[in-house]
Amino acid sequence: RHSGADPLLAESLRAALEGLDPTTRIAVLLRFVEEKSYPEIAAQLELGESAVKMRVRRAVGSLRERMDSDGSR
């Protein structure tokens, strides 16, 4: 983790994450913050592994679009 992150970037990312539905937000946080594997996330969320992968992939795309439209990247 990078403790010197830009506070405006961090705030933009937080806001973008809040725009995701709760299950997808949890899946993204488990994957990228807690560094869980897709099978671990699937078990925790009681979803299929392919469903978790799809949620994370779509969420990353959505987050990119939101961050780009904010001029945060």
Side-chain angles (χ1 to χ4, degrees):
R1 296 193 182 128
H2 190 268
S3 60
D6 178 347
L8 293 176
L9 177 61
E11 177 60 26
S12 293
L13 181 56
R14 185 198 59 74
L17 283 165
E18 285 183 1
L20 300 174
D21 73 85
T23 302
T24 300
R25 182 172 51 249
I26 291 167
V28 168
L29 293 174
L30 289 172
R31 181 70 180 152
F32 297 109
V33 176
E34 296 191 20
E35 300 180 345
K36 300 285 185 185
S37 68
Y38 287 114
E40 290 172 316
I41 298 166
Q44 186 167 341
L45 297 179
E46 298 180 349
L47 295 170
E49 189 176 333
S50 62
V52 170
K53 286 179 181 179
M54 185 182 325
R55 281 179 180 262
V56 170
R57 188 177 319 117
R58 287 182 178 166
V60 168
S62 174
L63 291 170
R64 272 196 188 112
E65 286 178 16
R66 290 175 195 215
M67 299 294 286
D68 284 344
S69 69
D70 283 353
S72 300
R73 278 184 18 155

